[in-house]
Amino acid sequence: MKRRPNLTIRFVAGTALFSVVLTCAAADGEQLLASRCAGCHNLTGPAPATLQALWDRKGPDLFYAGNKYKALWMQQWLQKPTRIRPAGMFYAAHIKPGPKSDEIDDATLDKHPALSPEDAKAVTAVLMQRKSGSDFVTAGAYTPGTISSSTGEMMFDKFRGCLACHEIEPGFGGLSGPEVYTAGARLQEDYLISYLRNPQAWDPKTFMPNKHLSDTDLQKLVHYLRLLSEESER
Ligand code: HEC
Ligand code: HEC
């Protein structure tokens, strides 16, 4: 009879220890976010509501990361970050006059911190749980399909004027927006449909224009972005 309480105590202590271990593993990602990312990224919302707040933004908003990014891309990018916005978050702060036209002032642009594989995984897991804006995305809004690169490029450049702000390959295209040659690998298709339809629904002050694209054009542009990513992976 004497042994029973002992066993119970050991069992209770064991369970407590087990759940402490579990909580630590789960908290790691959040701790990393708080200590290493929150200084530059908005993790809780809302998006900037004034131009001043837009200009002061140090990194892209991540409070709807789970509706925006592809997890696999994020986990890989965080280990080996490449530049997405050729002239940084705020174009005007990172250009200087060049002989022919404005040039990017590389000295003013910092490299993004790189994470270990374990940290990248932990952080991606918690970021993918941030799902603000779910009201704006419809699962299955994008229907997979194809487009020729010449038709896609014509839409992106001539008809819709997207090329003025976005690079479709390194060194070709505008510099004020994010490059789009990895957008298909980086961003969820249903998010792209939603964002291209109404960028200001996600980011009220963004310079990305609402081009009032038709449903057909939205689908075609996402086919094209996917094609660009496939080509840039080759
Ligand atoms: C010193 C400021 C700074 C810190 C600290 C920082 N970031 Fe960033 N982050 C940026 C900037 C600026 C960009 C945009 C990079 C680009 O466009 O090339 C970015 C881009 C990203 C992106 C890609 C999103 C997109 O749309 O471009 C992710 C994901 C990201 N950061 C996650 C993190 C995480 C996770 C941490 C913490 C471990 C972190 N960042 C720490 C400034 C920072
Ligand atoms: C006046 C410049 C401008 C034009 C024209 C423009 N964009 Fe943008 N675009 C932007 C800016 C600025 C952003 C958001 C930047 C950010 O989040 O840091 C953006 C964001 C995007 C994104 C999301 C990229 C990401 O990584 O979050 C896509 C995709 C995109 N634009 C596609 C297009 C398409 C397609 C067109 C033509 C229909 C177009 N853009 C026209 C400036 C422009």
Side-chain angles (χ1 to χ4, degrees):
M1 278 313 277
K2 265 200 157 180
R3 300 180 75 125
R4 274 210 143 165
N6 245 341
L7 259 183
T8 316
I9 287 160
R10 256 159 55 193
F11 177 72
V12 169
T15 321
L17 185 67
F18 183 61
S19 66
V20 165
V21 170
L22 268 186
T23 330
C24 284
D28 256 353
E30 286 297 341
Q31 267 163 19
L32 276 167
L33 279 184
S35 61
R36 295 183 58 189
C37 322
C40 293
H41 291 284
N42 183 341
L43 301 165
T44 52
T50 62
L51 280 178
Q52 186 64 52
L54 187 81
W55 294 331
D56 291 344
R57 181 155 63 184
K58 295 203 188 83
D61 290 345
L62 295 179
F63 61 87
Y64 47 89
N67 276 325
K68 177 170 180 178
Y69 301 101
K70 292 187 175 170
L72 183 64
W73 172 83
M74 186 188 282
Q75 200 173 318
Q76 288 169 347
W77 187 86
L78 285 170
Q79 296 171 57
K80 253 184 132 184
T82 50
R83 186 157 298 156
I84 298 167
R85 290 159 194 75
M89 287 304 289
F90 184 42
Y91 177 74
H94 301 286
I95 50 166
K96 57 180 181 188
K100 284 196 205 133
S101 58
D102 286 350
E103 287 173 359
I104 294 170
D105 188 357
D106 265 321
T108 64
L109 286 167
D110 295 330
K111 276 211 169 114
H112 195 274
L115 300 185
S116 68
E118 300 74 44
D119 287 356
K121 194 175 175 194
V123 154
T124 299
V126 288
L127 280 175
M128 292 308 291
Q129 285 164 13
R130 287 174 157 70
K131 291 209 167 184
S132 288
S134 291
D135 293 355
F136 311 138
V137 254
T138 313
Y142 173 68
T143 316
T146 53
I147 191 168
S148 73
S149 62
S150 54
T151 311
E153 194 177 318
M154 202 131 81
M155 281 188 77
F156 198 82
D157 182 3
K158 304 273 181 328
F159 301 157
R160 302 294 167 212
C162 320
L163 194 64
C165 300
H166 294 286
E167 287 188 333
I168 55 172
E169 58 181 62
F172 183 61
L175 302 175
S176 60
E179 53 82 357
V180 293
Y181 48 87
T182 69
R186 184 162 82 236
L187 305 169
Q188 296 174 28
E189 285 79 5
D190 294 337
Y191 169 82
L192 280 168
I193 296 279
S194 167
Y195 181 83
L196 294 175
R197 176 177 282 130
N198 185 1
Q200 283 69 29
W202 293 92
D203 194 5
K205 293 291 172 187
T206 182
F207 295 118
M208 164 76 189
N210 182 339
K211 295 273 188 179
H212 303 282
L213 301 164
S214 68
D215 284 340
T216 318
D217 282 359
L218 285 169
Q219 297 286 338
K220 284 185 181 164
L221 281 167
V222 180
H223 298 337
Y224 177 59
L225 294 174
R226 283 165 50 103
L227 179 67
L228 282 180
S229 282
E230 282 161 23
E231 283 174 350
S232 80
E233 268 161 30
R234 264 178 235 144

